[in-house]
Amino acid sequence: MGGAAGHMKHPYEMFDWKLDELVNFMLRAGSGLIPAKEKIDGLNLFFRREGGVTKFARSKGELKSGGHKLDELSARLEKCGARDIFCDAARALDDFMGEVSVVTSEWVNVEVVREDHPITIDYSGNWLIFNSGDSFVEALWAGSIKGWRLSTAVDLKVSGLTLFEVSGCSEKLFEEFESYGLDDSATIVDYIAARIPVVFPESSKLPRKVIGELASKLCHGGHMKDINSGLPRDLAAISSRIGSSEYSDRNRSRALAPIAEIFIEFGTLLLRDCVSAFVSDNPKTLERLRAAQLKLGIPPHDNEAIPTVEGAVYVVDDTMIKVTGCFAPVSRIIGDAMFKSN
């Protein structure tokens, strides 16, 4: 899920979690104690129907503006490589909703998957997989949508890690925090504050209070003018290079890199035996992922690190959290290969 659905968080993006909460999530998810849903590697689309007109949206801005009609969507996506896929799905939804006179004032979120246009995973069939809009989805099963198979998000069977594997990953988290003098009561924001002088050496000139405010800004947003108030111009320039909105995503990722790597390892172990509900016994998927995996230096024995799912989705404190293992770097390698081949 992405686009208008917003950013689904990695565990280490739960910025107010303390280290013990992060480890607790790892232990519970790794032991299979939290229900998981399969995360789909598809295209994200929102739609709703009011006054006999179906509207579509792909971003938060489009949601706020009320979305676009079918013909407007096509024009809007003129330079988008996935235009035909989006428009085919939108046209099918529009036809269906017109035929059965479905009315839904709520935005319904759907993941669009086309078998002949895989992104990273080769799904079997053309799917519309609904992530939200429960009242609409209940009515939907009375009909069908030509050319598309329908599903809601499905449960993902996670066999779980061994105690040794879970302990190994959690111990690495403890050691990483301890290397910066942080205990299990420290939050992710505290960790980023500790990392800033390491990742950005020039920040050592900044007052400790400013570094803490920059860490909070990288996680929760805010205004640089408030942080820089009273700072000499040269220090304000340093502060802005770290915390300004144009740099914040990249700089936050740099600060979080060590624990992100730990969760890549954890997720790779977690997902190794998982099988997608939307993939038949398709060796092509494994071959593509195996080739990318080898480029990452991940041992290929028994295909342990190769899942045919993008990831697992958990709901914790009403927040959707994703664990994707090595999917993101593998996806980038496959994407690069596809780009070069074109």
Side-chain angles (χ1 to χ4, degrees):
M1 183 187 294
H7 179 65
M8 192 180 296
K9 296 177 182 291
H10 290 283
Y12 51 83
E13 292 173 322
M14 298 293 286
F15 300 121
D16 293 324
W17 273 11
K18 299 175 181 177
L19 172 58
D20 60 357
E21 292 175 289
L22 195 62
V23 170
N24 184 53
F25 169 81
M26 181 177 281
L27 295 175
R28 294 176 63 211
S31 301
L33 297 178
I34 312 176
K37 297 285 188 181
E38 178 178 349
K39 189 176 189 303
I40 301 299
D41 178 34
L43 301 172
N44 197 261
L45 183 67
F46 270 73
F47 68 94
R48 69 179 178 183
R49 189 171 180 92
E50 288 185 306
V53 178
T54 312
K55 294 287 190 73
F56 302 91
R58 294 176 54 244
S59 68
K60 289 183 178 179
E62 291 179 356
L63 281 175
K64 290 180 180 178
S65 66
H68 306 288
K69 298 177 184 177
L70 182 61
D71 57 342
E72 296 170 339
L73 180 70
S74 180
R76 182 87 176 180
L77 297 173
E78 184 177 359
K79 297 182 180 180
C80 175
R83 174 187 178 184
D84 290 346
I85 301 174
F86 274 118
C87 289
D88 285 351
R91 192 175 299 109
L93 287 165
D94 183 57
D95 289 346
F96 170 79
M97 296 178 78
E99 290 172 3
V100 298
S101 300
V102 173
V103 177
T104 175
S105 59
E106 63 178 324
W107 285 105
V108 179
N109 177 244
V110 62
E111 206 82 34
V112 180
V113 170
R114 273 270 293 271
E115 183 175 21
D116 58 349
H117 285 82
I119 300 176
T120 299
I121 295 175
D122 297 288
Y123 291 109
S124 304
N126 300 331
W127 289 92
L128 298 177
I129 302 166
F130 294 87
N131 296 308
S132 68
D134 292 342
S135 61
F136 170 77
V137 173
E138 288 177 5
L140 185 68
W141 303 120
S144 61
I145 296 181
K146 184 177 180 180
W148 297 89
R149 301 168 71 180
L150 311 178
S151 179
T152 54
V154 300
D155 293 337
L156 181 66
K157 183 180 179 181
V158 178
S159 59
L161 282 64
T162 67
L163 180 60
F164 176 78
E165 290 168 335
V166 175
S167 298
C169 292
S170 61
E171 188 61 33
K172 288 181 180 179
L173 279 177
F174 280 116
E175 290 174 355
E176 177 62 22
F177 272 64
E178 287 173 357
S179 70
Y180 292 96
L182 302 172
D183 61 22
D184 60 2
S185 66
T187 65
I188 304 297
V189 176
D190 295 331
Y191 173 77
I192 290 177
R195 285 272 298 163
I196 284 176
V198 176
V199 180
F200 312 101
E202 62 181 351
S203 69
S204 60
K205 301 175 184 178
L206 297 172
R208 184 185 297 271
K209 177 176 179 291
V210 171
I211 290 177
E213 291 172 345
L214 286 171
S216 180
K217 166 73 165 56
L218 290 176
C219 296
H220 300 303
H223 301 285
M224 286 306 305
K225 65 179 181 180
D226 296 331
I227 297 174
N228 290 342
S229 178
L231 286 178
R233 182 174 296 180
D234 60 331
L235 295 186
I238 294 172
S239 173
S240 294
R241 283 195 290 272
I242 297 170
S244 291
S245 297
E246 61 183 305
Y247 307 122
S248 59
D249 287 349
R250 180 186 64 189
N251 289 344
R252 182 178 60 248
S253 294
R254 290 178 65 188
L256 287 170
I259 55 177
E261 287 295 322
I262 294 171
F263 269 95
I264 287 177
E265 177 185 349
F266 169 73
T268 300
L269 292 169
L270 183 76
L271 300 171
R272 63 187 166 191
D273 295 323
C274 292
V275 177
S276 173
F278 305 99
V279 176
S280 299
D281 186 13
N282 190 342
K284 183 167 62 173
T285 290
L286 291 178
E287 285 301 322
R288 295 173 82 219
L289 295 179
R290 184 182 296 115
Q293 178 193 351
L294 290 173
K295 289 186 178 181
L296 285 173
I298 301 172
H301 56 280
D302 299 327
N303 299 326
E304 283 189 355
I306 309 179
T308 57
V309 297
E310 179 182 350
V313 178
Y314 301 91
V315 177
V316 180
D317 299 332
D318 296 322
T319 300
M320 298 180 78
I321 298 175
K322 62 183 178 183
V323 176
T324 56
C326 63
F327 180 84
V330 166
S331 180
R332 283 195 295 271
I333 290 172
I334 289 176
D336 289 345
M338 292 174 63
F339 178 79
K340 290 177 181 177
S341 66
N342 292 329

